[in-house]
Amino acid sequence: MCGIVAIFAYGDGAPTVDSEELLKIRDAMLARGPDGEGLWLSSDRRIGLAHRRLAIIDLSNAASQPMLSLDGSCVITFNGEIYNYKELRSELEREGYRFRSTSDTEVLLCLYQRHGQDMVHRLRGMFAFAIWDEGRKGLFLARDPFGIKPLYIADDGSTLRVASQVKALMCAGAISSAPEPAGLVGFLLWGHVPEPYTFHKGVRALPAGSTLWIDATGRRETKAYFNLSQEIAGALESSRRIPPEQAQAELRAALLESVRYHLVADVPVGVFLSAGLDSATLTSLAKEVGKGDLHTVTLGFGEFEGTDSDETPLAELVAQQCGAVHSTFRVTKDAYERESRRLMAAMDQPSIDGVNSYFVSLAAARAGLKVALSGLGGDELFGGYSSFRQIPRLVRAVRPLESIPGLGPAFRIVSAPLLRRFTSPKYASLLEYGGTYGSAYLLRRGLYMPWELPRLLDGEIVKQGWSELGTLSLLNQTAQPVDSPYFKVVALESAWYMRNQLLRDADWASMAHSVEVRVPLVDVALFRAVMRLSRRGRGPSKLDFARTPAVSLPDAVLHRRKTGFSIPVREWLADRNQIQTNERGMRGWALRLLHDASGGTLAAA
């Protein structure tokens, strides 16, 4: 896991690349890569690459970046891990390619020379990289299929700037800080900024599962090489009826393979272990594939100690069963207060989540770990959220009522003032937004509804932002290609909540402590295998997943009720809401984040 930078002055009138700007952006990401630093500039200074290194695979200087190909024709700066790099290297060696390191970075360079932009179809891993092609005088950017690793772009019409963090791009002062209405509106809708937007007009995320090519003439080409909804639809079409025992065996094999790949490293790899099924199952599978020196880390809360909500006793039971070296890290409100300023500085874009990820990553760093596996993605892959039941039920109930003119808005106008006294007024939109899978998903996951925004933001900002986002259209586009109600929710949860919130929060929160988080349950090969195991319109369940280890998990873990965002964290965040609003809980916390991040753009609530 690293921090990458690229600046390409492609326009005729563009000034040459300033090495000081490259260094300033690079070193703003020190925590992403404390183990090394690098800088490369072309002879004509039209292109420059920079890198901060967190050494995980090949710890020697031979793996330092930016890295030049042996013939000097290509240069790369890369963030992430390619888990199948050894197989790819063997293929390339059989074709005559030579290597001077044992790194996955050099494999990427040779793979680009062999396959060009089609190289992305060969990769299994998490990645964001930039490759300068001297022969073609162009820059090639790529991001992994699920968007595990971030990549942000600013293009002023003559110079393209690229980095792993928005704040790093902005720190050099070369990019306009003009606010992006779609970013502001999107944050209030979701509690995070939906891709490709940021809070700044001039900065966009390269979409997950896509590549960008730009040459010295400014000609560019963006390609989407992975579409999650289409992948699901295609897998369901090719799924086959197989006996339950065979399906369970295939699921187990796919999981063991993914875990085995995600343990590849030249440093110790640990596991974030809670009392939940996802992390407990991963811990057991990691032990099973031969991880002898397994380290586990559990986060506990002082307020929960000795209560049924305390996850640490069950986590310690799983760790003991697996023979892991275990660390329990307890967080109190005082500890949160001491870390809050650093936490806020690490948050690259505003998010109402990520606090738990921040503290468990801190615990991992204090335990001496540079790499940890996370169970993130298990709920999306195995239907663990209540949304898998609630959204199809809501759509079936509300869709027949859509034919009644004005019913939805009328119900909202009448019920919103009453609901505000007891719960979130967004539920007044039940009849207005419940009739399609996309709108029902917005109602289920949304923080604020569109009609609430004009009292929080300037009306023109809301109008511009809502129009630019096209939220309802995009949500319905995500669900539309998939026939099964259950798998429509898989597509929505994976493409929206997981990608825009969970994965992004895991990235900034872990990188604040120079810890690499790996997500074996967010893996293309595993995803395709699980989709193919669909039976009667739904895939393997959480219990199917939890029963894959050879040694059964303790009954207390297998049958523990699912818990969500930890209650004390909600209370701590609410206590820090210092602006005067009528909102409580996470909505109030979101307003405070928006107020601070936008420099007071927030209107009086």
Side-chain angles (χ1 to χ4, degrees):
M1 204 76 72
C2 306
I4 67 173
V5 189
I7 301 179
F8 182 22
Y10 62 85
D12 290 338
T16 56
V17 175
D18 181 0
S19 60
E20 290 302 314
E21 182 183 359
L22 271 170
L23 292 173
K24 193 167 186 178
I25 297 172
R26 182 197 73 182
D27 293 340
M29 299 184 290
L30 174 62
R32 298 188 73 92
D35 297 335
E37 59 189 36
L39 178 71
W40 174 85
L41 279 166
S42 63
S43 57
D44 62 3
R45 302 181 70 89
R46 307 301 292 182
I47 176 71
L49 306 179
H51 189 263
R52 290 230 58 110
R53 185 184 184 199
L54 184 65
I56 304 296
I57 292 176
D58 189 346
L59 310 185
S60 73
N61 289 333
S64 296
Q65 299 183 50
M67 180 183 288
L68 277 72
S69 60
L70 282 173
D71 61 5
S73 66
C74 295
V75 192
I76 187 172
T77 183
F78 160 53
N79 171 32
E81 304 291 352
I82 307 302
Y83 301 122
N84 63 335
Y85 78 98
K86 292 181 180 179
E87 295 97 311
L88 294 172
R89 176 180 173 133
S90 295
E91 290 179 15
L92 291 163
E93 285 176 329
R94 287 193 294 270
E95 295 181 15
Y97 287 87
R98 294 180 295 113
F99 294 84
R100 62 193 167 202
S101 74
T102 59
S103 71
D104 53 348
T105 306
E106 192 172 10
V107 170
L108 285 176
L109 268 177
C110 293
L111 200 66
Y112 175 78
Q113 291 181 305
R114 173 65 180 85
H115 295 287
Q117 297 182 29
D118 288 338
M119 67 179 289
V120 291
H121 298 290
R122 310 292 307 283
L123 303 178
R124 183 172 188 172
M126 53 181 183
F127 54 86
F129 59 79
I131 296 177
W132 172 251
D133 187 327
E134 179 63 26
R136 297 181 63 198
K137 296 294 182 183
L139 185 68
F140 178 59
L141 308 176
R143 190 169 173 218
D144 66 72
F146 289 99
I148 303 170
K149 292 293 98 194
L151 194 62
Y152 296 100
I153 299 170
D155 189 349
D156 63 9
S158 61
T159 299
L160 182 80
R161 294 172 171 86
V162 181
S164 300
Q165 291 181 204
V166 175
K167 286 183 176 179
L169 270 180
M170 299 300 298
C171 77
I175 301 168
S176 170
S177 60
E180 169 55 73
L184 299 172
V185 170
F187 174 72
L188 285 178
L189 286 175
W190 299 107
H192 57 259
V193 183
E195 292 187 355
Y197 302 100
T198 70
F199 264 22
H200 307 287
K201 269 187 176 295
V203 182
R204 292 282 189 274
L206 181 68
S210 68
T211 63
L212 172 65
W213 167 265
I214 178 169
D215 65 21
T217 69
R219 182 183 66 86
R220 69 197 63 212
E221 182 179 25
T222 302
K223 292 181 180 178
Y225 68 89
F226 181 88
N227 181 289
L228 193 145
S229 298
Q230 295 294 344
E231 285 280 340
I232 295 173
L236 294 182
E237 288 179 4
S238 62
S239 66
R240 64 204 192 284
R241 291 184 178 277
I242 57 176
E245 297 80 6
Q246 182 182 342
Q248 189 69 11
E250 291 188 15
L251 175 61
R252 170 177 158 77
L255 284 162
L256 285 170
E257 181 185 75
S258 182
V259 171
R260 187 178 293 110
Y261 271 117
H262 283 75
L263 288 172
V264 172
D266 294 327
V267 298
V269 180
V271 182
F272 291 161
L273 176 59
S274 70
L277 292 178
D278 299 332
S279 63
T281 303
L282 282 183
T283 301
S284 188
L285 292 171
K287 181 66 177 180
E288 192 174 335
V289 297
K291 186 63 178 172
D293 56 343
L294 189 64
H295 293 251
T296 53
V297 179
T298 294
L299 191 65
F301 296 97
E303 286 85 344
F304 284 166
E305 190 168 4
T307 72
D308 291 341
S309 298
D310 190 357
E311 296 197 352
T312 60
L314 288 181
E316 289 165 359
L317 179 63
V318 173
Q320 183 180 17
Q321 176 176 295
C322 294
V325 178
H326 186 70
S327 301
T328 296
F329 184 75
R330 289 201 176 272
V331 182
T332 63
K333 184 176 180 179
D334 288 342
Y336 169 74
E337 292 292 344
R338 288 194 299 271
E339 283 287 329
S340 61
R341 183 169 296 181
R342 186 181 174 203
L343 186 155
M344 295 299 293
M347 191 181 289
D348 192 42
Q349 296 189 77
S351 170
I352 62 172
D353 210 335
V355 175
N356 285 7
S357 296
Y358 179 91
F359 279 103
V360 76
S361 298
L362 173 60
R366 290 183 178 177
L369 292 171
K370 292 177 73 173
V371 182
L373 305 187
S374 165
L376 191 159
D379 286 316
E380 290 79 7
L381 194 59
F382 299 110
Y385 296 129
S386 59
S387 58
F388 283 87
R389 301 180 304 276
Q390 293 171 346
I391 291 176
R393 189 184 306 148
L394 178 61
V395 172
R396 286 194 300 271
V398 174
R399 183 170 285 168
L401 303 177
E402 287 188 318
S403 60
I404 304 175
L407 178 62
F411 178 78
R412 181 239 302 168
I413 292 169
V414 171
S415 63
L418 179 63
L419 287 171
R420 179 179 288 276
R421 297 170 58 185
F422 303 103
T423 184
S424 170
K426 75 173 188 175
Y427 295 113
S429 293
L430 191 67
L431 302 183
E432 193 172 10
Y433 287 105
T436 69
Y437 278 86
S439 58
Y441 185 74
L442 176 61
L443 182 64
R444 171 65 176 79
R445 281 288 181 197
L447 189 67
Y448 284 93
M449 290 295 101
W451 54 268
E452 297 183 88
L453 301 185
R455 68 182 179 85
L456 304 173
L457 291 172
D458 175 80
E460 189 58 31
I461 289 178
V462 172
K463 181 180 178 181
Q464 292 178 23
W466 178 249
S467 175
E468 173 71 19
L469 285 168
T471 299
L472 292 175
S473 176
L474 290 176
L475 285 167
N476 284 318
Q477 286 177 34
T478 302
Q480 189 276 327
V482 183
D483 288 334
S484 160
Y486 173 88
F487 284 104
K488 285 180 184 290
V489 183
V490 170
L492 288 162
E493 292 285 22
S494 300
W496 289 80
Y497 181 53
M498 185 180 79
R499 179 183 295 164
N500 291 319
Q501 180 103 62
L502 299 182
L503 289 173
R504 191 185 305 154
D505 286 341
D507 180 78
W508 68 257
S510 61
M511 285 290 92
H513 307 292
S514 306
V515 172
E516 175 179 285
V517 171
R518 297 181 175 183
V519 283
L521 303 181
V522 187
D523 174 84
V524 168
L526 175 63
F527 177 80
R528 288 169 174 160
V530 171
M531 294 303 105
R532 289 194 299 269
L533 293 175
S534 166
R535 300 190 303 273
R536 294 186 301 278
R538 62 167 296 134
S541 69
K542 268 295 192 72
L543 277 178
D544 293 329
F545 164 54
R547 287 170 176 152
T548 55
V551 177
S552 296
L553 297 176
D555 285 345
V557 175
L558 278 174
H559 303 295
R560 182 176 183 268
R561 67 177 180 85
K562 182 174 176 58
T563 57
F565 198 115
S566 300
I567 294 173
V569 177
R570 286 183 179 273
E571 293 173 347
W572 301 340
L573 299 184
D575 288 347
R576 292 186 59 81
N577 178 21
Q578 298 172 357
I579 62 170
Q580 296 301 311
T581 76
N582 296 320
E583 299 290 0
R584 296 171 293 178
M586 301 310 290
R587 284 162 60 107
W589 171 240
L591 296 188
R592 184 203 171 214
L593 288 173
L594 177 60
H595 182 271
D596 292 351
S598 64
T601 301
L602 182 67

